[in-house]
Amino acid sequence: MNPRKKNIFTTAWLSLLAAATTFSASSALAALTKVENSAAGWTYVNFPRYSDSPLSGGNGNGGYYNGGSATYTFTGDTVQVWVWKGPDGGRLEVFVDNVSRGVFSQSGSRDQYNQLLTSITGLSNTRHTLRLVARSSDWNMFDYIMVGTSGTSPTPTPTPRPPTPTPTATPRPPTPTPTATPRPPTPTPTATPRPPTPTPTATPRPPTPTPTATPRPPTPTPTATPTPPAGSAFYVSPSGNDNNAGTLAAPFRTLTRAQTAMRGSTTKTTYLRAGVYTLASQADCIDSSPCGLKMDNRDNGQTWSNYPPDGYDSAIIDGQSTGANGLWTVISLDEVDNITFNGFVIRNFQYAGINADGGRNLTVRYMHIHNSTYTPDNDNPGAVSFYGMNNAKILNNVIHDTQGFAITANNFNGDISGMTVDGNMVYNACKNSADCGAIYMFDGLKLATNIRWTNNYVLDGALKGVPGTGAGSALYADDCSSNITMSGNVLRGANGSNTIHLHGGDNLNVTNNIIDLGTNPLRSTFIFQTVDEGGCADMRMANIRTTNNIVVGNWSGPGSGSGFLDDVMPQNMPIIEANNYFNYGSGSFEQVDTIPDRNPRFLNPQLSGYNYVLAPSSPVRSAPVNFQSIPTSWGWPGYQPPTTGTQPVVPR
């Protein structure tokens, strides 16, 4: 563009913006009332509450749940939706009276609070039903709404949109990761013009069903996935040929051939057709160890996926390990950015299914990774293992039968800030490692921020950890690991001695989890431990909270408390408060003298089944526990938790 023309365009655009905001001094919004996300009258389905102090009221509702919803009935002619926006922000579709008003993005280059998502005016001044529906598996976070009558003040002039540039084939650069510096709240955007209400498409949408009173509906049957358009990707098939063009009709035979094709093309997606694939071992992967598929920065921006019409779990990469043989690591990533693995199987490997060193924006979703064979009780083998990978998203996978960790993250060779582990089903982990956790993190220098371990189901996640020995956990925040939210998880059965182990870090929030300790009275609920070196040398352990959880067991006599693994106390004592403990047998839960629960409850939580469904009449829904129903969408769409392994103590 001619520079002078560009400047004229920019000046005109800024003038329009200024004109569009001049109305704001009017009393148009004077009659609007703020309705917090926690107000009575909201109905949430797969849209749990999260604590985050910059949000209005200190919390919001949302998460990584495509299809999760929030519904509220209001009276007035105007409604505004206010949200968080930032890195990994998702998309919310807004309905009023079952009519879509558009899908709006929450994406931004940095965390921004108190952001206007959309303003809908011109409604009749009567009762209306607002419904927000998540339309992506990225982070959707709703804060509050403003409702009421807008008066007679002029409606703001719709802000003209600048021309949309033609997208190039270059992948979008990664979103910068928030720093560890506390984030100041974003000023209220009073001067920002409100975008016009999007016009519904010509094709009317079917009415959206009103949510039922059941707080946790069964996982919906996945809808048919359309076939990807021809030419948008490469294809591989066990019956293909590497001399083919890599199309749907003429697929490649090997993954390495597809990798070469993507490196030399603007096409960065490969679909794996159904069948079993084996890989030749390649030397000099991460740490000079061998692997099957060796990837580096030439593979930035790639997506490897099952072919949707074939279904999940249909394409299988077999590492062919039965012990000290087969592939050491199946897929090795050395400083790779913006890489996605989706919907296929990795099985029978020694050390790791996916092993990453450095890089950023790794997404592992809807994968089935199982059967590792590396047996020494040391090192950090894991089905998904990464060192210094920034902004990793491990979402809705099924991981099981691992000798060591299921998911392990280490803050070496980079920063693991922004890690999210959500919606995974993990079982039969740490089979040959005692000091081990199904979901594990190490951060010796206390660098990482914004970590979320949410809505996972861990069954028998630390099999070698013997209760009473202080070893083995379902969730293990090791050596200074800090700034982690652990919420909405189900932890069932043989999860070592500790269940949840918090080792020396700060800012650890353990809330709204269901913890089934089984029948062993020696298994602890929460274990705390100080560290006197590295980033934890001051032994602060500041802002550690374990609150509003449900803990159940079935034994006779005393047992199963929480406390410190050793006698060295931190500067700040953890807070244990408002948890509900219930023993289906005749036994009790110990209250540890050093850190007793400040406000415990001992009520029957009315849980049932392998999904731990919470009855609508459960007393733990009320204060002080205030437990919220958790999502049941573990694994890929339609997956259900195993009925084998340690059985739930709740009625089934």
Side-chain angles (χ1 to χ4, degrees):
M1 177 183 293
N2 181 289
R4 186 170 180 276
K5 289 183 178 180
K6 181 177 179 180
N7 292 334
I8 291 172
F9 175 84
T10 303
T11 302
W13 173 243
L14 293 175
S15 299
L16 286 170
L17 278 176
T21 60
T22 55
F23 85 99
S24 60
S26 73
S27 60
L29 305 182
L32 297 187
T33 301
K34 187 175 188 178
V35 180
E36 295 282 5
N37 65 296
S38 57
W42 283 101
T43 299
Y44 294 109
V45 177
N46 283 355
F47 225 57
R49 189 163 300 163
Y50 290 89
S51 297
D52 195 354
S53 56
L55 292 168
S56 177
N59 61 75
N61 278 71
Y64 291 99
Y65 309 113
N66 194 0
S69 65
T71 305
Y72 185 82
T73 299
F74 68 95
T75 299
D77 61 15
T78 298
V79 58
Q80 297 177 345
V81 181
W82 294 79
V83 300
W84 162 93
K85 291 184 179 182
D88 201 34
R91 298 186 303 277
L92 283 176
E93 186 166 12
V94 179
F95 294 85
V96 175
D97 300 329
N98 289 334
V99 175
S100 176
R101 298 305 183 109
V103 179
F104 303 92
S105 174
Q106 291 189 243
S107 179
S109 62
R110 58 184 177 85
D111 285 328
Q112 301 175 78
Y113 296 87
N114 204 37
Q115 297 294 297
L116 178 62
L117 184 72
T118 185
S119 179
I120 298 171
T121 60
L123 304 171
S124 60
N125 192 12
T126 56
R127 286 171 61 86
H128 302 280
T129 298
L130 171 73
R131 189 164 185 249
L132 312 176
V133 181
R135 291 308 187 197
S136 77
S137 295
D138 295 311
W139 186 249
N140 301 286
M141 182 53 60
F142 151 70
D143 195 355
Y144 63 91
I145 61 173
M146 301 287 290
V147 299
T149 56
S150 61
T152 58
S153 298
T155 302
T157 304
T159 304
R161 300 179 181 271
T164 302
T166 304
T168 66
T170 304
R172 216 172 28 174
T175 302
T177 303
T179 65
T181 305
R183 299 169 298 209
T186 302
T188 305
T190 54
T192 303
R194 294 173 292 178
T197 303
T199 304
T201 58
T203 304
R205 297 177 179 269
T208 304
T210 302
T212 66
T214 304
R216 290 172 24 153
T219 303
T221 303
T223 57
T225 306
T227 302
S232 65
F234 293 108
Y235 297 80
V236 295
S237 169
S239 61
N241 189 306
D242 281 352
N243 292 322
N244 287 341
T247 63
L248 180 60
F252 297 134
R253 169 68 180 83
T254 66
L255 275 62
T256 51
R257 178 65 184 88
Q259 179 186 31
T260 300
M262 285 194 289
R263 285 177 172 179
S265 168
T266 57
T267 297
K268 298 297 182 182
T269 298
T270 288
Y271 289 106
L272 282 65
R273 297 301 309 271
V276 178
Y277 300 81
T278 58
L279 301 171
S281 182
Q282 301 185 59
D284 296 325
C285 302
I286 294 175
D287 295 329
S288 301
S289 60
C291 66
L293 188 61
K294 180 179 179 180
M295 309 185 80
D296 56 35
N297 58 15
R298 292 172 293 175
D299 302 298
N300 288 349
Q302 292 181 2
T303 294
W304 296 77
S305 176
N306 68 306
Y307 180 60
D310 290 344
Y312 299 109
D313 225 23
S314 59
I316 301 166
I317 303 178
D318 194 334
Q320 298 182 295
S321 177
T322 58
N325 64 340
L327 289 178
W328 179 254
T329 292
V330 177
I331 298 175
S332 175
L333 308 171
D334 188 0
E335 296 287 349
V336 182
D337 295 344
N338 307 313
I339 186 82
T340 296
F341 301 99
N342 181 81
F344 57 92
V345 181
I346 297 175
R347 71 184 186 192
N348 301 331
F349 49 88
Q350 292 189 58
Y351 183 85
I354 298 173
N355 191 22
D357 192 357
R360 53 190 172 180
N361 300 331
L362 164 69
T363 299
V364 181
R365 177 184 284 136
Y366 300 146
M367 296 287 287
H368 186 184
I369 306 176
H370 63 100
N371 289 14
S372 68
T373 61
Y374 181 65
T375 57
D377 188 9
N378 55 34
D379 212 339
N380 290 308
V384 178
S385 175
F386 50 94
Y387 293 76
M389 171 62 76
N390 185 266
N391 200 37
K393 302 291 182 268
I394 314 301
L395 310 174
N396 295 96
N397 304 285
V398 178
I399 300 174
H400 61 91
D401 290 285
T402 59
Q403 301 299 319
F405 309 102
I407 301 166
T408 173
N410 295 267
N411 221 357
F412 299 120
N413 303 334
D415 183 3
I416 55 174
S417 291
M419 172 176 62
T420 297
V421 179
D422 184 276
N424 299 283
M425 177 72 225
V426 176
Y427 63 96
N428 295 349
C430 297
K431 295 170 69 173
N432 201 66
S433 182
D435 185 17
C436 183
I439 300 174
Y440 173 87
M441 174 176 162
F442 176 96
D443 185 9
L445 296 179
K446 201 189 296 185
L447 297 174
T449 61
N450 191 27
I451 309 297
R452 295 184 176 103
W453 295 352
T454 50
N455 310 308
N456 304 286
Y457 193 130
V458 180
L459 163 62
D460 297 340
L463 286 170
K464 193 173 182 181
V466 177
T469 64
S473 315
L475 307 179
Y476 192 171
D478 200 7
D479 285 356
C480 307
S481 294
S482 301
N483 307 306
I484 307 175
T485 295
M486 306 179 189
S487 180
N489 301 290
V490 172
L491 311 178
R492 165 185 152 200
N495 286 311
S497 182
N498 306 327
T499 309
I500 298 177
H501 189 170
L502 309 179
H503 191 186
D506 299 334
N507 304 319
L508 301 172
N509 185 24
V510 182
T511 186
N512 211 81
N513 301 284
I514 295 173
I515 302 168
D516 184 342
L517 300 172
T519 59
N520 195 316
L522 297 179
R523 183 169 288 120
S524 297
T525 309
F526 314 114
I527 286 294
F528 310 96
Q529 186 179 8
T530 56
V531 180
D532 60 359
E533 60 186 9
C536 301
D538 56 9
M539 294 192 292
R540 290 178 56 217
M541 291 194 74
N543 194 26
I544 310 298
R545 300 181 60 87
T546 57
T547 62
N548 310 101
N549 301 284
I550 297 175
V551 186
V552 295
N554 188 342
W555 58 77
S556 59
S560 216
S562 300
F564 278 85
L565 195 61
D566 49 40
D567 296 329
V568 181
M569 297 294 105
Q571 293 187 40
N572 304 277
M573 294 300 290
I575 293 173
I576 303 179
E577 185 174 23
N579 299 287
N580 188 83
Y581 308 87
F582 188 75
N583 196 317
Y584 289 88
S586 59
S588 62
F589 288 86
E590 290 183 0
Q591 287 292 299
V592 179
D593 291 336
T594 52
I595 42 171
D597 194 308
R598 296 181 178 184
N599 193 10
R601 289 295 183 267
F602 301 94
L603 306 170
N604 186 336
Q606 299 179 21
L607 293 166
S608 62
Y610 292 94
N611 285 2
Y612 292 83
V613 176
L614 188 68
S617 60
S618 171
V620 301
R621 291 185 181 275
S622 302
V625 181
N626 292 320
F627 198 87
Q628 298 188 44
S629 294
I630 60 177
T632 59
S633 51
W634 306 290
W636 53 82
Y639 179 85
Q640 291 296 319
T643 56
T644 55
T646 301
Q647 293 298 294
V649 300
V650 304
R652 302 187 295 283

